[in-house]
């Protein structure tokens, strides 16, 4: 009898372990049951930081979350906000300047359309504005760009939207703007098809690095007065580009910068977004390996976003880290009942007001 009991007990234990494993597996399956089979992530042009970061992120998502993730080359933040808002892409990368314009319905391509189907996820890094020329161009500063052919990135990107405004605010006239991807504009310089390339991206900018590996170049930023003028006129912060960013630099350069955030569609499952937040913000080593600029991708930088409501999955992650998401940045469904009602009433009023389509 004792011998029979000895044989049965291990079987019961094994059965209990199997049942526990199956239950855990079912619970995990239930949590992941509404996850998308694939996601598209909007980046920007080849040679820019978004493209490098985006390619690294989709590889990491596919490997670790078992969701097929695909990067999509786009025109940049304006395009990405539109793609995520319409559901054509589930994820995207944006700078907060363009994001604010489209969130508030001030986009040139879709005036009056507030892109509120977008939710903020995790902070990434700051995007400073920087200029590169050939060393023998004779162009040494922003003032020297007057009358010159200046590449400013692809149409629809942050750089192409703000560099012309910056130059105008600084009184730089008669600039002949050129629009194309980062790699193309970098190649224009040694071919003498362009005089300068004024760009903005997380540091180091790969297109700048590639250019200086093969040619003698000159890089410059802003004077202190130019920096102050832009900070007074635009929603940008001061930034100093470190002297060791590129081999061609021998001193820090003053600049201004926007913060970058990852975004997602509001209907993405909370558990998926939470898993994505952990994947990125709990593994700083992997993020920095994707691109050095991602060293700034830290949870405490959530306060840099005062534009977009956070996704509930992101809120869950931040709160688990002991961080408080401001009420104004919570999505309507997570706010106190009276505040959610106020938002709904405001949306209803906006929808009831007819749009003036006359010129």
């Amino acid at each position: 009898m004792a011998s029979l009991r000895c044989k049965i007990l291990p079987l019961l234990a094994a059965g209990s372990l199997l049942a526990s494993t199956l239950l855990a597996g079912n619970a995990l399956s239930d949590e992941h049951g509404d996850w998308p089979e694939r996601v598209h992530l909007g980046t920007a042009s080849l040679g820019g930081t978004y493209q490098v970061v985006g390619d690294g992120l989709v590889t990491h998502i596919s490997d670790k979350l078992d969701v097929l993730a695909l990067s999509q080359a786009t025109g940049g933040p304006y395009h990405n906000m539109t793609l995520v808002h319409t559901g054509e892409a589930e994820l995207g990368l944006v700078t907060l300047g363009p994001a604010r314009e489209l969130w508030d319905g001030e986009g040139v391509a879709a005036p009056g359309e507030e892109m509120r189907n977008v939710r903020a996820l995790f902070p990434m890094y700051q995007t400073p504005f920087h200029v590169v020329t050939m060393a023998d161009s004779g162009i040494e500063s922003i003032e020297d760009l007057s009358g010159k052919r200046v590449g400013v990135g692809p149409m629809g990107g942050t750089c192409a939207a703000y560099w012309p405004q910056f130059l105008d605010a600084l009184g730089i006239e008669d600039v002949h703007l050129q629009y194309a991807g980062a790699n193309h504009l970098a190649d224009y310089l040694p071919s003498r098809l362009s005089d300068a390339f004024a760009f903005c991206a997380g540091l180091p900018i790969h297109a700048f690095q590639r250019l200086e590996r093969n040619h003698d170049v000159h890089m410059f930023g802003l004077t202190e007065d130019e920096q102050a003028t832009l900070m007074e006129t635009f929603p940008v912060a001061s930034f100093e580009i470190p002297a060791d960013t590129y081999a061609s630099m021998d001193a820090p350069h003053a600049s201004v910068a926007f913060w970058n955030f990852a975004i997602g569609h509001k209907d993405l499952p909370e558990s998926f977004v939470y898993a994505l937040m952990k994947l990125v913000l709990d593994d700083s080593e992997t993020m920095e390996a994707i691109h050095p600029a991602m060293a700034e991708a830290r949870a405490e930088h959530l306060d840099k976003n005062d534009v977009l409501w956070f996704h509930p999955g992101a809120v869950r992650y931040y709160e688990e880290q002991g961080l408080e998401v401001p009420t104004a940045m919570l999505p309507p469904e997570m706010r106190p009942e009276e505040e959610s009602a106020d938002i709904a009433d405001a949306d209803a009023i906006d929808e009831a007001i007819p749009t003036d389509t006359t010129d």
Side-chain angles (χ1 to χ4, degrees), residues 229-242:
T229 295
L230 296 185
M231 289 173 60
E232 290 173 4
T233 312
F234 302 94
V236 291
S238 64
F239 189 94
E240 183 178 83
I241 299 174

Side-chain angles (χ1 to χ4, degrees), residues 277-357:
M277 298 290 292
K278 288 184 64 66
L279 184 72
V280 173
L281 298 181
D282 285 0
D283 190 357
S284 58
E285 186 175 333
T286 296
M287 292 303 109
E288 287 186 56
I290 289 174
H291 195 286
M294 289 294 283
E296 292 189 282
R298 301 195 300 271
E300 58 264 32
H301 289 317
L302 76 92
D303 64 343
K304 303 303 188 295
N305 168 41
D306 61 355
V307 177
L308 312 171
W309 299 329
F310 281 102
H311 192 284
V315 175
R316 172 183 167 191
Y317 176 85
Y318 290 128
E319 290 181 343
E320 286 189 3
Q321 303 305 306
L323 299 169
E324 182 178 355
V325 176
T327 301
M329 292 297 102
L330 292 174
E333 66 270 24
M334 298 187 75
R335 296 192 188 192
E337 188 174 337
E338 60 275 12
E339 289 198 21
S340 296
D342 290 342
I343 292 173
D345 290 343
D347 289 343
I349 292 171
D350 289 342
E351 290 176 5
I353 296 174
T355 302
D356 184 2
T357 56

